[in-house]
Amino acid sequence: VIVTLTTDFGTADGYAGEMKGVILAGCPEVRLVDITHDVPRGDIEAGARVLARIWDRYPADTVHVAVVDPGVGSSRRGIAAAAGGNWFVGPDNGLLTLVTHGHAVDEVRNLGASERPIGDTAPTFHGRDVFAPAAARLAAGADPDDLGELLPTDELILLPIPAPERLAGLIRGRVAHVDRFGNLATDVRAEWLTGDRFLVEIGDATIRGPARTYADGRSGEVLVLIGSDGSLEIAVRGGSAAERLSATRGTAVVVRTTG
Amino acid sequence: VIVTLTTDFGTADGYAGEMKGVILAGCPEVRLVDITHDVPRGDIEAGARVLARIWDRYPADTVHVAVVDPGVGSSRRGIAAAAGGNWFVGPDNGLLTLVTHGHAVDEVRNLGASERPIGDTAPTFHGRDVFAPAAARLAAGADPDDLGELLPTDELILLPIPAPERLAGLIRGRVAHVDRFGNLATDVRAEWLTGDRFLVEIGDATIRGPARTYADGRSGEVLVLIGSDGSLEIAVRGGSAAERLSATRGTAVVVRTTG
Amino acid sequence: VIVTLTTDFGTADGYAGEMKGVILAGCPEVRLVDITHDVPRGDIEAGARVLARIWDRYPADTVHVAVVDPGVGSSRRGIAAAAGGNWFVGPDNGLLTLVTHGHAVDEVRNLGASERPIGDTAPTFHGRDVFAPAAARLAAGADPDDLGELLPTDELILLPIPAPERLAGLIRGRVAHVDRFGNLATDVRAEWLTGDRFLVEIGDATIRGPARTYADGRSGEVLVLIGSDGSLEIAVRGGSAAERLSATRGTAVVVRTTG
């Protein structure tokens, strides 16, 4: 069984290393996969986006542990949720928001309300003391009933991520993610576009699309293309679109379909 | 068998990747776990702290390779040390200092004095040429006698980390570690505190404690709480205590117990 | 079977995490090893150097996936190449240049020309949609004929890395790599040096060599030594030679053998 890890802990402090030890001690045959420990600190939406990108590439029964948890130890719940044949373990703070876009949540367990307390719990490190042990139990084939009480799936906390506005020939969206290359992923889905061509407006720039890949166009040219997650993406050949366009997550994007 | 890796090599130069290849070639069934390759360059105390945090979360017989080694190739020894049912492999330069706080070292082997030289040894990269092969041998179940001669355990090099001063109602300690979030772990153990409340002085600030977790108090408030390693920890809700208090490792901390 | 990963994707965007999922889904028994995801963005030569450092530490039949791919989706080929008993999978853009120095390439397969298309392919993410599936197939023991047509091995794209100039008593080379510690690896092989001593000129500095390891000499002294990859290396004890000598990759280095 695979357990993946997505956190904002970095690696240098040893927090992620402690979590891995707890998981391996609880389920020695588990296969650990580091997704990232470099989610920006406390940025739940960024963590939600990573999780949504990666999870359905993994085999059924994979357990995804995601811990970006500024509210650790507060009244926010800890949960294990089943969706799409995988388990998701972490704080109930919105990390599953983007997984739920298009995938039903089948079951949610309240880890904090477990009959058996899960480990000795430091109120500042549920990653180690609640989520890692719960992931190890799930990986070891535990009955979900032993993890915690069932919660109504519609009580799952979702981030208030604004939905794009879709009008005839016009979509108003936003930059949803800036990647390491300065590429701007948007929340505009490629399948919403009618026709073969469109114009994208961001800041003062208007870009005609679509290009097919980053290497299209001249060096330094701003391109708009269909990103690998199926959304419109704005890029600069050989450069950073984020720098060039002074764009960050949330920057408004307007798409006009043209004939 | 699990082999963990804690280094200051980063990953981009391939040094950690070479070590992993050597370990896997020497013991194909080993389970490698990256703890971190981001220990600050040459910072033995930081490496010692990571190692002390993580090691006892791992199952018995785990081999922990720790390489922060500014003295590589000099007269400093390379060792394999047994403590708490685990093996520790690396330079004898103080990396085990904090593991030894509270855990007896059962056995120390001098890797440099091995009858059989371990690999072809570059004097600049014992991580690859001495420690990785030794870890592979231990993981493969080698007789420790084959690794190197026994050393007296009291010859182990320890860092001169100052101990906190404990007086009646007063503890003088220091910041022991600044984590990725700017939280300040101190060397003051929670179990030393008498009474339910205390004051912590750091720089010009006086903080009343304890809070229970980071989410206590108002946004931007300085908090003192019991950290997940059992020491007093100073944090700022939603911010960095290191920045707010201009604190680094070594900054003095005074704790006054009150009633 | 081991599959290693060398990319410039970072981990925070989830791209590397997607690749790992695809590989594990395609070959569940594979052992994944992260070499690095921190190759500088788009720096093919840096990726080539990492790959050349690490690959022959791994057991036979290891599959090395290397993706530094500024030309993704363009006419550049995707390949799987066999050399030294290992497979290398990635874009045909020069990443194998340094592997081929001293090792014959036995076979090259054109992944883009596969009879069976490999997955649904986003033109911006062949790491996930071409190279990860191909690596999984190789790890699972696929017939190379199923991966793609044979290419002439002499069509492999090689970076135009200048060769050092070797004269009697004089070698003109360059800095080949600057590592995390600011050490300067050069393209001058240690075995080219005649005699026991030599002088190295870089910028305004002349350094007498060789030292044996970093800890030789006084703190802050510039040293030249035989690096762990068998090339001349310039270092500063307890400091960064790159900063001290204002050197970067490509900086000229002259070696004069003396006596």
Side-chain angles (χ1 to χ4, degrees):
Chain A
V1 180
I2 297 167
V3 174
T4 80
L5 293 167
T6 300
T7 80
D8 66 346
F9 289 149
T11 62
D13 299 312
Y15 302 142
E18 283 185 280
M19 287 181 66
K20 295 190 208 181
V22 170
I23 295 168
L24 286 165
C27 183
E29 63 272 24
V30 85
R31 299 159 65 80
L32 286 176
V33 177
D34 291 302
I35 302 300
T36 188
H37 301 290
D38 288 337
V39 174
R41 287 173 286 186
D43 188 338
I44 299 168
E45 184 173 338
R49 192 157 299 276
V50 172
L51 203 55
R53 266 202 90 94
I54 63 99
W55 77 273
D56 67 355
R57 302 289 167 180
Y58 284 81
D61 298 325
T62 295
V63 180
H64 302 283
V65 182
V67 188
V68 179
D69 197 10
V72 62
S74 69
S75 60
R76 74 100 187 88
R77 285 164 164 159
I79 55 169
N86 283 202
W87 280 99
F88 298 86
V89 176
D92 181 22
N93 63 9
L95 278 166
L96 291 184
T97 303
L98 295 165
V99 170
T100 66
H101 288 186
H103 288 274
V105 174
D106 299 316
E107 179 179 337
V108 182
R109 296 282 170 174
N110 184 356
L111 298 177
S114 171
E115 287 300 305
R116 293 190 270 161
I118 297 178
D120 292 319
T121 305
T124 57
F125 194 5
H126 286 188
R128 179 189 69 193
D129 295 339
V130 176
F131 305 130
R137 282 201 203 172
L138 283 167
D143 184 335
D145 282 339
D146 288 343
L147 285 175
E149 60 173 1
L150 269 178
L151 293 174
T153 57
D154 61 3
E155 285 190 6
L156 199 70
I157 302 290
L158 300 179
L159 297 174
I161 297 176
E165 184 184 6
R166 296 165 61 185
L167 307 170
L170 179 75
I171 304 170
R172 295 182 196 281
R174 58 169 204 142
V175 173
H177 180 71
V178 180
D179 80 5
R180 188 187 196 216
F181 301 89
N183 299 324
L184 309 174
T186 72
D187 58 359
V188 178
R189 304 291 310 166
E191 62 264 28
W192 297 343
L193 300 172
T194 55
D196 293 340
R197 304 178 62 130
F198 50 84
L199 293 174
V200 173
E201 298 166 12
I202 176 170
D204 294 333
T206 301
I207 313 140
R208 185 177 302 278
R212 208 179 60 87
T213 189
Y214 305 123
D216 287 355
R218 301 177 307 281
S219 177
E221 187 173 346
V222 183
L223 303 168
V224 56
L225 41 75
I226 311 304
S228 60
D229 65 349
S231 68
L232 275 199
E233 181 174 321
I234 300 164
V236 165
R237 179 165 183 189
S240 164
E243 285 180 20
R244 174 72 157 279
L245 302 169
S246 300
T248 58
R249 189 170 71 201
T251 296
V253 172
V254 174
V255 182
R256 297 182 193 278
T257 52
T258 61
Chain B
V1 179
I2 297 168
V3 174
T4 79
L5 293 167
T6 300
T7 80
D8 66 346
F9 289 148
T11 62
D13 300 311
Y15 302 142
E18 283 186 282
M19 288 181 65
K20 294 190 210 181
V22 170
I23 295 168
L24 286 165
C27 183
E29 63 272 25
V30 85
R31 298 159 66 80
L32 286 176
V33 177
D34 291 303
I35 302 301
T36 188
H37 302 290
D38 288 337
V39 173
R41 287 174 285 188
D43 188 338
I44 299 168
E45 184 172 340
R49 193 158 297 277
V50 172
L51 202 55
R53 267 201 90 95
I54 63 99
W55 78 272
D56 67 354
R57 302 289 167 181
Y58 283 81
D61 299 323
T62 295
V63 180
H64 302 282
V65 182
V67 188
V68 179
D69 197 10
V72 62
S74 70
S75 59
R76 72 101 188 86
R77 285 163 163 160
I79 54 168
N86 284 203
W87 279 100
F88 299 86
V89 176
D92 181 22
N93 63 7
L95 278 166
L96 292 184
T97 302
L98 295 165
V99 170
T100 66
H101 287 188
H103 288 273
V105 174
D106 299 315
E107 179 179 339
V108 181
R109 296 283 169 173
N110 184 356
L111 299 177
S114 172
E115 287 299 306
R116 292 190 271 163
I118 298 178
D120 293 318
T121 305
T124 56
F125 195 4
H126 285 188
R128 179 190 70 191
D129 295 338
V130 176
F131 305 130
R137 283 202 202 172
L138 284 166
D143 185 334
D145 282 337
D146 289 342
L147 285 175
E149 60 173 1
L150 268 178
L151 292 174
T153 58
D154 61 3
E155 285 190 7
L156 199 71
I157 301 291
L158 300 179
L159 297 174
I161 297 176
E165 184 183 6
R166 296 166 60 186
L167 306 171
L170 179 76
I171 303 170
R172 296 182 196 280
R174 60 169 203 141
V175 173
H177 180 71
V178 180
D179 80 6
R180 186 186 199 219
F181 301 90
N183 299 324
L184 309 173
T186 72
D187 58 359
V188 178
R189 305 291 310 166
E191 63 264 28
W192 298 343
L193 299 171
T194 55
D196 293 340
R197 305 179 60 132
F198 50 84
L199 293 174
V200 173
E201 299 165 12
I202 177 170
D204 294 333
T206 300
I207 312 139
R208 185 176 303 277
R212 208 179 59 86
T213 188
Y214 305 123
D216 286 357
R218 300 177 309 280
S219 178
E221 187 173 345
V222 183
L223 304 168
V224 56
L225 41 75
I226 312 303
S228 60
D229 65 350
S231 69
L232 275 198
E233 181 175 322
I234 300 163
V236 164
R237 178 166 184 188
S240 163
E243 284 180 20
R244 173 71 159 279
L245 302 169
S246 300
T248 58
R249 188 171 72 201
T251 296
V253 172
V254 174
V255 182
R256 296 181 193 278
T257 52
T258 61
Chain C
V1 178
I2 297 167
V3 174
T4 79
L5 292 167
T6 300
T7 80
D8 66 345
F9 289 148
T11 62
D13 299 311
Y15 302 142
E18 283 185 282
M19 288 181 65
K20 294 190 210 181
V22 170
I23 295 169
L24 286 165
C27 184
E29 64 271 25
V30 86
R31 299 160 66 80
L32 286 176
V33 177
D34 290 304
I35 301 300
T36 188
H37 301 291
D38 288 337
V39 174
R41 289 174 284 186
D43 188 339
I44 299 168
E45 184 173 339
R49 193 158 296 277
V50 172
L51 202 55
R53 266 202 90 95
I54 63 98
W55 76 273
D56 67 354
R57 303 289 168 182
Y58 284 81
D61 298 324
T62 295
V63 180
H64 301 282
V65 182
V67 187
V68 179
D69 197 9
V72 61
S74 70
S75 60
R76 73 100 187 88
R77 285 163 164 160
I79 54 168
N86 284 202
W87 280 99
F88 299 86
V89 176
D92 182 21
N93 63 7
L95 277 166
L96 291 184
T97 303
L98 295 166
V99 170
T100 67
H101 288 188
H103 287 273
V105 174
D106 299 316
E107 179 179 337
V108 181
R109 296 282 169 174
N110 184 356
L111 298 178
S114 172
E115 287 300 305
R116 292 191 271 162
I118 298 177
D120 293 318
T121 305
T124 56
F125 195 4
H126 286 188
R128 179 190 69 193
D129 294 339
V130 176
F131 305 131
R137 282 202 203 172
L138 284 167
D143 185 335
D145 282 338
D146 288 343
L147 285 174
E149 60 173 1
L150 268 178
L151 292 174
T153 58
D154 61 3
E155 284 190 7
L156 199 71
I157 301 289
L158 300 179
L159 297 174
I161 297 177
E165 184 185 4
R166 295 165 61 186
L167 306 171
L170 179 75
I171 303 170
R172 295 184 196 280
R174 59 169 204 142
V175 173
H177 181 71
V178 180
D179 80 5
R180 186 186 201 219
F181 301 89
N183 299 324
L184 309 173
T186 72
D187 58 0
V188 178
R189 304 292 310 166
E191 63 263 29
W192 298 344
L193 299 172
T194 56
D196 293 341
R197 304 177 63 131
F198 50 84
L199 294 173
V200 172
E201 298 165 12
I202 177 169
D204 294 334
T206 300
I207 313 140
R208 184 177 302 277
R212 210 179 58 86
T213 189
Y214 306 122
D216 286 356
R218 301 177 308 281
S219 177
E221 188 173 345
V222 183
L223 304 169
V224 56
L225 41 76
I226 312 304
S228 60
D229 65 351
S231 69
L232 276 198
E233 182 174 321
I234 301 163
V236 165
R237 179 166 185 188
S240 164
E243 284 181 19
R244 173 71 157 280
L245 302 169
S246 301
T248 58
R249 189 170 71 202
T251 296
V253 172
V254 174
V255 181
R256 298 182 192 278
T257 52
T258 62

